[in-house]
């Protein structure tokens, strides 16, 4: 529980820090825009014009030097202007967000006015609400300390219902057993005084202190006017009749507006909340003190076995208008809690004892172990299924890769065989071409030789016809050719 409370406190603290940082950044945005875009008449020019009209001599204290400078058109003026300082921009930003709006500074350019329209709508709706919540925490802190201080003078039993911090009413015995069961709310004057007095004292103290500061930093300002100015500012009316001309007074005005307006808004909010709280307390007391009708009591029976304690208490709370998560409490909202009670009541005695909690712890441990075992089995099954799925995927991929490899190998073999066939065909074609070339070459050689032989024979016969042929003499039944009729060796060589 301590860890949960610490975590909740950290979350709340982080949220508050974020809100404050957002408010600071939003204000700085307005300051940067107004310092960049807006201008005002030079301070020297304002002083000179004021002195020339007698403002410095006290003859026209009712008029502001800025109003004198921007007075009738016939008045001689100059064009000397200067940008807003950081103090001017901060002062104007705070008066704008708080809706005080004195009117001593205002946007003069069209672009700045458009920016102010958006800036005011979002700032008044969200940003200043954040600021009011921040300062309401301070008021709540002081109120609680005050109520704890007053609570020491209250002698009623702190354990009784209706008892709260501060002064309470008298104790009442509802059951008739001689013991007090309820503490009545305090009287209206006591209730409102102890609830609102810390806030009113703080708010009054801030106004008194702020008036004193304004008297110190603003010349020619008396304490009564300063106190009047502080209350008019805190109420966000902001007439603007009391002028703040120095940087110090405008810096303190920014602080005073931030604190006073926020606390006054928190006071209004607390007043509404305290009024609703008072009405609820009085309605609760009236309901508990009145005499209940028989029909009203019997309507609280939901199981036709008579009205038990749970049905009576729940019915009373429903009649009082108790809400659960922002919705009116109904009997259906109680049923889940009854089911939870039955689960904790292991011994079925109608009460949750220490033994029931121990047995429930044992059962929860056994159930936890069983759940862990189931989870482990489910996880192992999931792992096995995952492994099977992975193995099947791997086998499928291997089969696909094997089939792809076989197909690729077959294709490669087919390509190789086709290539070998093509090479063989090319070799055969080359061999056929070479053989045909050899035949053709041999035919050409033979043709050439035949032609050469033909020419040699023609030459031989021609030479023979020209020579004188000798007679052939028979000898031993043979024809002998004389030496002159034989061809010469050179002729034979030419023939071959």
């Amino acid at each position: 529980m301590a860890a949960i409370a610490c975590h909740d406190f950290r979350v709340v603290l982080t949220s508050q820090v974020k809100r404050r940082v957002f408010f600071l950044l939003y204000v700085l945005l307005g300051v940067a825009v107004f310092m960049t875009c807006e201008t005002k008449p030079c301070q020297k020019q304002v002083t000179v014009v004021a002195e020339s009209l007698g403002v410095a001599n006290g003859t026209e204290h009712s008029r502001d030097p800025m109003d004198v400078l921007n007075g009738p058109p016939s008045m001689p003026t100059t064009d000397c202007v200067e940008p807003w300082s950081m103090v001017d921009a901060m002062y104007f930003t705070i008066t704008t967000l708080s809706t005080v709006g004195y009117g001593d500074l205002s946007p003069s350019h069209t672009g700045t006015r458009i920016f102010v329209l958006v800036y005011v709508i979002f700032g008044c709706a969200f940003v200043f609400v954040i600021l009011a919540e921040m300062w309401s925490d301070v008021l709540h802190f002081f109120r609680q300390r005050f109520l704890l201080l007053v609570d020491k003078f209250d002698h009623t039993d702190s354990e009784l219902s209706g008892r709260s911090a501060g002064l309470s009413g008298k104790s009442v015995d509802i059951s008739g057993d001689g013991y007090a069961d309820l503490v009545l709310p305090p009287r209206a004057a006591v209730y409102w005084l102890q609830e609102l007095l810390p806030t009113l004292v703080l708010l009054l103290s801030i106004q008194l202190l702020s008036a004193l500061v304004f008297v110190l930093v603003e010349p020619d300002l008396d304490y009564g006017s300063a106190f009047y100015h502080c209350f008019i500012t805190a109420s966000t009316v902001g007439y603007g009749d009391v002028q703040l001309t120095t940087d110090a007074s405008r810096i303190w005005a920014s602080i005073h507006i931030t604190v006073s307006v926020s606390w006054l808004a928190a006071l209004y909010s607390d007043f509404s909340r305290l009024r609703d709280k008072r009405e609820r307390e009085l309605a609760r007391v009236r309901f508990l003190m009145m005499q209940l009708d028989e029909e009203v009591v019997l309507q609280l029976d939901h199981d036709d076995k008579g009205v038990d304690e749970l049905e009576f208490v729940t019915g009373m709370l429903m009649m009082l208008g108790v809400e659960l998560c922002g919705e009116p409490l109904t009997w259906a909202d109680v049923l889940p809690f009854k089911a939870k009670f039955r689960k904790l009541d292991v011994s079925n005695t109608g009460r949750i004892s220490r033994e029931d909690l121990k047995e429930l712890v044992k059962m929860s441990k056994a159930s936890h172990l069983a759940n862990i075992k189931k989870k482990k089995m489910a996880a192992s099954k999931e792992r096995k299924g995952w492994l099977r799925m992975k193995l099947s995927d791997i086998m499928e991929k291997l089969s696909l890769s094997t089939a792809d490899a076989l197909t690729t190998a077959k294709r490669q073999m087919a390509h190789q065989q086709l290539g070998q066939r093509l090479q063989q065909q090319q070799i055969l074609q080359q061999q056929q071409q070479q053989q045909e070339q050899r035949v053709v070459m041999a035919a050409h050689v033979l043709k050439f030789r035949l032609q050469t032989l033909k020419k040699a024979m023609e030459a031989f016969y021609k030479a023979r016809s020209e020579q004188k042929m000798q007679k052939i003499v028979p000898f031993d039944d043979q024809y002998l050719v004389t030496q002159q009729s034989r061809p010469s060796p050179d002729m034979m060589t030419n023939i071959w």
Side-chain angles (χ1 to χ4, degrees):
M1 294 296 293
I4 295 175
C6 183
H7 175 70
D8 293 339
F9 175 74
R10 290 176 182 174
V11 171
V12 172
L13 183 61
T14 304
S15 177
Q16 290 179 354
V17 171
K18 289 181 179 179
R19 289 183 176 185
R20 293 173 184 177
V21 171
F22 177 73
F23 173 78
L24 180 61
L25 293 177
Y26 195 79
V27 172
L28 291 178
L29 172 63
V31 170
V33 172
F34 297 135
M35 288 180 62
T36 305
C37 302
E38 283 300 323
T39 58
K40 65 178 181 178
C42 297
Q43 189 64 30
K44 294 181 179 180
Q45 179 186 354
V46 175
T47 306
V48 169
V49 175
E51 291 178 353
S52 64
L53 294 178
V55 176
N57 297 325
T59 58
E60 293 191 14
H61 286 291
S62 61
R63 300 186 67 184
D64 183 28
M66 298 293 294
D67 296 335
V68 174
L69 183 65
N70 300 323
S74 60
M75 183 179 301
T77 59
T78 61
D79 296 331
C80 178
V81 293
E82 60 183 3
W84 283 7
S85 64
M86 181 178 291
V87 175
D88 295 333
M90 177 68 72
Y91 172 71
F92 177 75
T93 301
I94 296 298
T95 56
T96 300
L97 291 178
S98 61
T99 68
V100 174
Y102 292 127
D104 49 355
L105 289 177
S106 60
S108 57
H109 301 287
T110 304
T112 313
R113 290 176 178 176
I114 295 174
F115 172 77
V116 168
L117 291 177
V118 181
Y119 191 75
V120 168
I121 293 173
F122 188 77
C124 294
F126 299 100
V127 179
F128 211 80
V129 174
I130 295 175
L131 185 63
E133 292 177 355
M134 289 164 48
W135 287 107
S136 64
D137 295 337
V138 179
L139 291 179
H140 180 72
F141 173 79
F142 280 100
R143 184 187 298 111
Q144 290 298 117
R145 293 296 178 270
F146 178 77
L147 291 177
L148 291 176
L149 179 63
V150 175
D151 189 69
K152 296 179 180 180
F153 300 95
D154 191 3
H155 302 290
T156 57
D157 189 0
S158 60
E159 301 295 331
L160 294 179
S161 176
R163 177 73 163 81
S164 59
L167 298 177
S168 303
K170 62 180 181 179
S171 303
V172 178
D173 180 16
I174 297 178
S175 60
D177 56 357
Y179 297 97
D181 301 311
L182 177 67
V183 177
L184 298 178
R187 289 178 297 176
V190 175
Y191 175 80
W192 288 111
L193 183 63
Q194 68 181 4
E195 292 289 347
L196 296 179
L197 183 61
T199 304
L200 294 174
V201 169
L202 274 176
L203 192 59
L204 180 61
S205 302
I206 288 294
Q207 308 315 315
L208 294 172
L209 177 62
S210 297
L212 179 61
V213 174
F214 280 127
V215 170
L216 296 176
V217 299
E218 183 66 28
D220 300 331
L221 183 63
D222 60 285
Y223 189 82
S225 300
F227 187 74
Y228 161 79
H229 168 77
C230 290
F231 263 96
I232 293 300
T233 299
S235 63
T236 70
V237 175
Y239 291 126
D241 49 350
V242 177
Q243 297 294 328
L244 303 177
T245 58
T246 63
D247 288 344
S249 62
R250 290 186 175 183
I251 292 174
W252 181 250
S254 301
I255 300 173
H256 172 254
I257 291 171
T258 303
V259 177
S260 299
V261 174
S262 301
W263 279 4
L264 189 62
L267 177 62
Y268 293 153
S269 177
D270 287 346
F271 181 80
S272 177
R273 180 183 60 82
L274 293 172
R275 182 184 58 191
D276 295 339
K277 178 183 175 183
R278 177 73 176 177
E279 292 176 357
R280 288 194 301 267
E281 289 178 351
L282 295 177
R284 175 172 172 267
V285 171
R286 287 195 299 268
F287 188 77
L288 291 175
M289 299 296 293
M290 73 177 184
Q291 185 68 29
L292 295 178
D293 189 6
E294 179 181 355
E295 295 182 358
V296 174
V297 175
L298 292 178
Q299 288 179 358
L300 305 178
D301 185 13
H302 294 276
D303 53 4
D304 297 330
K305 296 181 181 179
V307 181
D308 57 12
E309 186 175 0
L310 176 62
E311 291 176 339
F312 181 81
V313 172
T314 305
M316 294 295 101
L317 294 176
M318 292 166 56
M319 290 182 183
L320 282 173
V322 174
E323 295 182 352
L324 179 64
C325 299
E327 297 292 335
L329 180 66
T330 61
W331 182 252
D333 298 329
V334 182
L335 296 179
F337 296 99
K338 291 186 65 176
K340 187 70 175 178
F341 179 84
R342 294 193 191 99
K343 181 180 179 181
L344 297 176
D345 185 15
V346 181
S347 58
N348 294 325
T349 58
R351 296 180 179 273
I352 301 174
S353 61
R354 197 176 293 272
E355 288 75 12
D356 292 335
L357 295 178
K358 291 181 180 179
E359 186 66 25
L360 183 65
V361 170
K362 292 180 181 179
M363 294 172 60
S364 62
K365 286 183 179 179
S367 176
H368 182 65
L369 293 175
N371 291 331
I372 292 175
K373 188 175 180 180
K374 289 181 180 179
K375 289 180 180 179
K376 287 182 178 180
M377 293 178 62
S380 62
K381 288 181 179 179
E382 289 180 358
R383 285 195 295 269
K384 290 179 181 179
W386 182 79
L387 290 174
R388 289 176 182 174
M389 183 175 65
K390 287 295 182 181
L391 288 174
S392 63
D393 292 340
I394 292 171
M395 293 299 294
E396 184 178 359
K397 290 180 180 179
L398 286 175
S399 61
L400 292 174
S401 61
T402 305
D404 293 339
L406 291 174
T407 305
T408 305
K410 289 181 179 178
R411 290 178 179 176
Q412 290 179 355
M413 290 178 63
H415 284 300
Q416 290 178 358
Q417 292 177 358
L418 181 61
Q420 290 176 358
R421 290 177 183 176
L422 292 175
Q423 289 180 357
Q424 291 177 359
Q425 290 180 359
Q426 290 178 358
I427 292 171
L428 291 175
Q429 290 179 359
Q430 290 177 359
Q431 290 178 355
Q432 290 178 0
Q433 290 177 359
Q434 290 176 359
Q435 188 175 2
E436 290 178 355
Q437 289 176 359
R438 290 194 191 106
V439 171
V440 171
M441 188 177 293
H444 284 295
V445 171
L446 180 60
K447 181 179 180 181
F448 176 74
R449 289 181 178 178
L450 290 174
Q451 290 177 355
T452 305
L453 180 61
K454 181 179 179 182
K455 290 180 179 179
M457 290 298 294
E458 288 178 353
F460 172 74
Y461 284 116
K462 183 177 181 181
R464 189 176 180 181
S465 62
E466 290 179 354
Q467 292 178 0
K468 187 177 180 180
M469 296 297 294
Q470 295 180 2
K471 295 182 178 179
I472 300 174
V473 179
F475 180 78
D476 291 337
D477 298 329
Q478 293 180 353
Y479 292 96
L480 296 175
V481 180
T482 62
Q483 188 68 26
Q484 297 178 354
S485 62
R486 294 181 182 178
S488 61
D490 295 333
M491 186 178 297
M492 295 302 296
T493 303
N494 290 332
I495 293 171
W496 287 108

